[in-house]
Amino acid sequence: MFFSRLRKDIAAAKRNDPAARNKFEIWLTYSGVHALSWHRFANRLYKMHLKLLARMASQFAKFLTGIEIHPAAKIAAGVFIDHGAGVVIGETAEVAEGVVIYQGVTLGGTGKESGKRHPTIERNVTISSGAKVLGGFTVGEGARIGAGAVVLKAVPPFATVVGVPGRVVRVNGERPVPDLIPEKDDPIVKELCALRERIYELEERLEKIAARGSAQIQKSEEKKDENL
């Protein structure tokens, strides 16, 4: 079981890193592969209720690799952590096969939740350098999180998210239809929607005034014709 997962991790590194020359070099030198191997050992200790030993193993792995993974986190085989310095993966995080994580990424919580506090990352998601995914929501299959983005809510499958806070700018390579419903805590969106409603109201008034004006002009022209 351990060696089959290790082979999948090495294959994922070979597939996703164009600088990787061979599997032996990956096994010897890639900190992401080492961190995942140590995590699986720590996770086994955690499941055996040897939680102190599990935390010690995870902290030792952090010292060696610069990658901190809580021993309770669920990480599938075939995940690739590229370089990995500064990566943090929280206790209730779940990471599926094919996920690529770059340096400085945090899969963490907001500090306001209990239970499932950390994100679920579905298959083939790419999380770029410095991105922060915070909360107990799901990032859908094939999504891409831009460098430095701060993601605070669920991401649909095959979406691209950028910015602080993170916003969806592409879904399946196309721009999404703008959401006209204001978010509860976004005063800018609320103000834009209020301005839009005001514009609609003014347009209706102008149409009525224009209609009355055209009616008056028509009546005056009719009177001129009668006088003639």
Side-chain angles (χ1 to χ4, degrees):
M1 180 68 74
F2 174 81
F3 290 105
S4 66
R5 291 181 174 181
L6 177 60
R7 283 194 293 271
K8 286 186 176 181
D9 293 340
I10 292 172
K14 184 71 169 63
R15 183 171 61 252
N16 289 287
D17 187 0
R21 295 185 296 178
N22 57 68
K23 294 181 179 180
F24 184 67
E25 180 183 63
I26 292 170
W27 178 64
L28 284 178
T29 64
Y30 276 51
S31 59
V33 173
H34 300 161
L36 290 172
S37 297
W38 274 101
H39 169 68
R40 297 203 173 92
F41 173 66
N43 184 253
R44 177 65 62 87
L45 294 174
Y46 194 89
K47 289 178 178 178
M48 295 169 62
H49 302 288
L50 301 172
K51 295 184 178 181
L52 177 59
L53 291 177
R55 290 305 300 267
M56 291 173 65
S58 69
Q59 290 301 303
F60 183 66
K62 176 186 175 183
F63 172 75
L64 292 177
T65 65
I67 298 169
E68 183 173 357
I69 307 175
H70 193 283
K74 299 177 182 178
I75 302 179
V79 170
F80 177 44
I81 301 176
D82 190 14
H83 298 292
V87 168
V88 178
I89 300 177
E91 179 182 7
T92 60
E94 299 178 41
V95 182
E97 183 177 353
V99 171
V100 178
I101 298 173
Y102 289 92
Q103 63 269 22
V105 166
T106 299
L107 305 182
T110 61
K112 301 177 182 179
E113 300 166 313
S114 59
K116 182 75 167 72
R117 308 184 308 280
H118 306 98
T120 296
I121 312 298
E122 295 190 341
R123 293 170 57 91
N124 302 320
V125 171
T126 299
I127 308 177
S128 300
S129 302
K132 313 299 178 186
V133 186
L134 308 176
F137 51 82
T138 297
V139 177
E141 179 179 357
R144 301 176 65 86
I145 309 300
V150 179
V151 184
L152 301 174
K153 59 183 180 181
V155 177
F158 305 104
T160 300
V161 178
V162 299
V164 181
R167 63 188 186 280
V168 176
V169 295
R170 291 283 191 280
V171 177
N172 286 318
E174 299 179 355
R175 289 183 180 274
V177 177
D179 185 3
L180 299 180
I181 301 175
E183 295 190 23
K184 182 174 65 174
D185 297 323
D186 194 336
I188 295 175
V189 175
K190 285 183 177 181
E191 186 67 23
L192 288 173
C193 289
L195 288 172
R196 184 192 61 196
E197 294 298 327
R198 181 63 174 164
I199 289 169
Y200 289 161
E201 182 183 344
L202 291 174
E203 286 177 346
E204 288 179 358
R205 290 184 180 181
L206 286 173
E207 287 176 0
K208 290 178 181 179
I209 292 170
R212 286 199 297 267
S214 62
Q216 289 175 357
I217 291 170
Q218 186 177 359
K219 286 181 180 179
S220 63
E221 288 179 351
E222 289 176 354
K223 286 182 180 180
K224 286 181 182 179
D225 293 338
E226 288 175 1
N227 293 331
L228 292 174

